[in-house]
């Protein structure tokens, strides 16, 4: 039985909105109260939320809140932390049970260059997309190759984005902050999930 006093944590409800042309941001649209339980720290026995089907998981949070309109396109903010919603079930007539991953969104810029028809009908490369959005980086693997004259390292991540962010293989993604700050190529797209997209991204450089 959930008592009203158990819902003691204050959270913000977030929705993804295009705040200006080609710029998407998480925007606070309201506040709510919930019971929040975060699974243990980063040790072998910690429960992980597999918010990404391609990358590794993140710390799991379990929430109980009063029944209200809520879907997996939305997100929550709790004590400055971003909660990526992964499951919503009806707990009882009055309450919802919510599963979420604790993640750190990073600002990203995606650009696309395609051949367009230029003067005299010649193909001319031109930028056809420029999109700013929040994404979540998670690790997939890192590969190290030694060649005859030098070593070249490839750093790969999985970029998890809201469903509205549609990228293609070959697009450039600039991660503008955080430990993964760099410029990457989109190599593989995973877009079958109805609530999110996942993109394998990679950058190469001499080491």
């Amino acid at each position: 039985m959930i008592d009203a006093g158990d819902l003691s944590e204050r959270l913000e409800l977030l929705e993804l909105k295009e705040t200006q042309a080609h710029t998407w941001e998480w925007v606070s649209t309201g506040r709510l109260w919930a019971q929040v339980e975060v699974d243990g720290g980063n040790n072998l026995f910690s429960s992980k939320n597999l918010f990404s089907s391609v990358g590794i998981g993140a710390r799991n949070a379990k929430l109980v809140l009063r029944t209200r309109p809520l879907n997996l396109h939305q997100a929550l903010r709790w004590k400055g932390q971003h909660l990526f919603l992964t499951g919503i079930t009806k707990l009882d007539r009055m309450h919802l049970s919510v599963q979420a991953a604790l993640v750190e969104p990073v600002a990203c810029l995606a650009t696309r260059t395609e051949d367009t028809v230029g003067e005299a009908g010649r193909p001319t490369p031109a930028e056809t997309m420029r999109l700013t959005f929040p994404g979540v980086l998670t690790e997939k693997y890192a590969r190290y190759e030694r060649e005859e004259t030098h070593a070249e390292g490839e750093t790969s991540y999985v970029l998890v984005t809201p469903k509205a962010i549609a990228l293609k293989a070959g697009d450039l993604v600039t991660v503008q902050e955080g430990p993964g700050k760099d410029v990457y190529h989109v190599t593989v797209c995973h877009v079958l999930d109805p609530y999110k997209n996942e993109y394998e991204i990679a950058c190469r450089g001499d080491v």
Side-chain angles (χ1 to χ4, degrees):
M1 183 71 179
I2 302 296
D3 186 85
D6 295 330
L7 309 182
S8 59
E9 298 288 343
R10 194 175 188 185
L11 299 94
E12 291 179 80
L13 180 64
L14 305 177
E15 293 189 7
L16 189 77
K17 294 190 176 182
E18 192 172 16
T19 54
Q20 53 183 304
H22 313 299
T23 298
W24 293 84
E25 297 178 282
W26 287 111
V27 175
S28 178
T29 59
R31 298 182 183 273
L32 53 89
W33 295 89
Q35 180 186 80
V36 182
E37 177 185 344
V38 177
D39 290 339
N42 298 318
N43 59 60
L44 183 63
F45 303 103
S46 296
S47 174
K48 292 287 186 180
N49 185 304
L50 300 179
F51 74 101
S52 166
S53 60
V54 183
I56 63 174
R59 290 183 68 191
N60 186 58
K62 303 173 186 176
L63 299 87
V64 176
L65 59 147
R66 289 190 180 277
T67 298
R68 57 170 297 145
L70 189 69
N71 64 66
L72 298 183
H73 290 295
Q74 298 169 309
L76 295 169
R77 185 182 292 128
W78 171 64
K79 295 183 176 180
Q81 299 182 86
H82 189 91
L83 301 183
F84 186 108
L85 304 186
T86 58
I88 303 170
T89 57
K90 192 173 177 109
L91 186 61
D92 56 37
R93 187 173 61 86
M94 297 287 294
H95 300 92
L96 299 176
S97 174
V98 178
Q99 297 284 332
L102 274 72
V103 298
E104 294 185 16
V106 291
C108 299
L109 169 68
T111 57
R112 180 179 302 152
T113 301
E114 298 175 296
D115 284 341
T116 59
V117 178
E119 294 182 7
R122 295 176 181 173
T124 302
E127 185 177 280
T128 58
M129 182 193 71
R130 176 170 288 262
L131 191 65
T132 302
F133 60 92
V136 176
L137 282 184
T138 184
E139 291 184 350
K140 185 172 185 284
Y141 60 85
R143 188 172 67 210
Y144 181 84
E145 296 175 348
R146 184 164 295 281
E147 300 179 357
E148 290 184 5
T149 57
H150 68 283
E152 188 175 76
E154 179 179 276
T155 302
S156 296
Y157 291 103
V158 176
L159 176 66
V160 183
T161 74
K163 193 64 187 176
I165 308 304
L167 306 180
K168 294 181 180 179
D171 289 349
L172 280 181
V173 175
T174 302
V175 177
Q176 299 177 316
E177 58 187 342
K181 183 177 179 180
D182 214 325
V183 180
Y184 303 84
H185 281 91
V186 176
T187 59
V188 182
C189 304
H190 305 271
V191 296
L192 295 182
D193 188 285
Y195 298 106
K196 67 178 184 295
N197 291 326
E198 299 186 51
Y199 302 101
E200 296 181 43
I201 60 174
C203 68
R204 301 174 71 89
D206 293 345
V207 296

